[in-house]
Amino acid sequence: MICFFYLTDRPAEARWLATDEKAWLESEMQKEKRTLAQHRSFSVLQTLVNWRVLALAAIHFGQAGVSVGLAVFVAQIIKGLGLTNMQTGFTTVIPYAAGTIGMLIWGHYSDKYNERRWNLTGSCSVMALGCILAGVLGTSMWSIVGLSMITVGLYASNAHLFPLPAVFLTGPALATGIAWVNSVGILGGSVSPPIVGWLKDYTGNFTGGLYALAAFGVLAAIVAAIAVRETPEPKRMPGAVAAAAG
């Protein structure tokens, strides 16, 4: 309900911006669209096979693998620490609260410096390291630290990933690119839970499953480091607009 009444579809509708700020921002956005269109205009079909879009889909495949694999089994992992059902419920909040805070801080940093490639690579690496740490620590309460690292890296990496299609796509191609990244990438969430579940049944613990999730994170980090291009430097905005943009 807050989003429906507060968020606007375009700068011209933003009540917290002055008239000149709205005009400036709309003008800059149109300039960026024209620049992208002049550099290279992709059709919908071209977008589906564009290597940069497929690279982002591969990154999201790794992210989704970790995300769904963790979501399905995190309560069982924490329950295995010897907690009661009530304690498990409250403890499960910790990693996701940490992830939310980490996303806001890391996302703000990435926006401030307009740097996506290495922030995305770093966040995916943190996600993978968290999986390894949680697996190594096993039934120790310190494994919560590893689980929290997973969510921090996961949520932050999503904040770094999804602005990237707009760097080289516009119009219908942009909508198609974002949809394709989501559609292909989310398949990782279909693959990881069976792997983690099978390893749990085979070994009797979640260590192997967490290492498997780490492999999804490593995949995402490697593709991000190799395939993601740097974004252009942002234009300086008037003070009030800059403040509104965070």
Side-chain angles (χ1 to χ4, degrees):
M1 291 180 65
I2 293 174
C3 290
F4 180 80
F5 286 105
Y6 183 74
L7 293 184
T8 60
D9 293 324
R10 53 190 58 85
E13 301 170 359
R15 293 185 298 274
W16 59 86
L17 294 177
T19 302
D20 59 332
E21 294 168 344
K22 295 177 184 179
W24 180 88
L25 193 52
E26 287 278 9
S27 174
E28 291 299 325
M29 292 172 64
Q30 291 302 319
K31 287 179 182 178
E32 290 178 0
K33 289 180 180 180
R34 288 194 295 270
T35 299
L36 287 176
Q38 291 172 0
H39 183 263
R40 175 71 189 276
S41 180
F42 294 96
S43 69
V44 169
L45 291 178
Q46 288 175 326
T47 302
L48 296 178
V49 295
N50 181 272
W51 71 269
R52 295 180 70 181
V53 174
L54 294 176
L56 297 180
I59 296 169
H60 193 42
F61 181 91
Q63 292 174 321
V66 175
S67 177
V68 180
L70 180 67
V72 170
F73 293 104
V74 66
Q76 295 182 49
I77 294 172
I78 293 176
K79 175 72 172 176
L81 302 179
L83 302 179
T84 65
N85 289 338
M86 180 69 73
Q87 291 170 333
T88 297
F90 282 112
T91 305
T92 302
V93 173
I94 297 174
Y96 289 99
T100 300
I101 295 171
M103 175 184 65
L104 294 173
I105 295 174
W106 207 336
H108 174 76
Y109 175 86
S110 177
D111 284 346
K112 181 178 179 180
Y113 293 99
N114 199 40
E115 201 290 318
R116 307 295 182 193
R117 179 185 185 186
W118 297 115
N119 279 292
L120 179 56
T121 302
S123 55
C124 290
S125 299
V126 168
M127 180 171 63
L129 289 173
C131 293
I132 295 172
L133 183 62
V136 169
L137 295 175
T139 56
S140 167
M141 286 297 294
W142 285 103
S143 63
I144 301 297
V145 175
L147 296 175
S148 297
M149 287 178 61
I150 296 173
T151 56
V152 168
L154 172 64
Y155 288 4
S157 65
N158 278 319
H160 305 323
L161 174 71
F162 283 100
L164 289 172
V167 173
F168 61 98
L169 298 174
T170 186
L174 175 58
T176 302
I178 294 174
W180 193 232
V181 169
N182 268 300
S183 300
V184 175
I186 201 64
L187 293 176
S190 301
V191 174
S192 62
I195 294 175
V196 176
W198 180 82
L199 289 171
K200 168 62 167 61
D201 291 341
Y202 184 77
T203 63
N205 58 61
F206 284 103
T207 299
L210 286 165
Y211 291 160
L213 293 183
F216 281 86
V218 169
L219 168 67
I222 291 175
V223 176
I226 295 174
V228 173
R229 294 182 180 177
E230 299 289 347
T231 59
E233 287 298 318
K235 302 178 180 66
R236 185 176 298 277
M237 293 187 292
V241 179

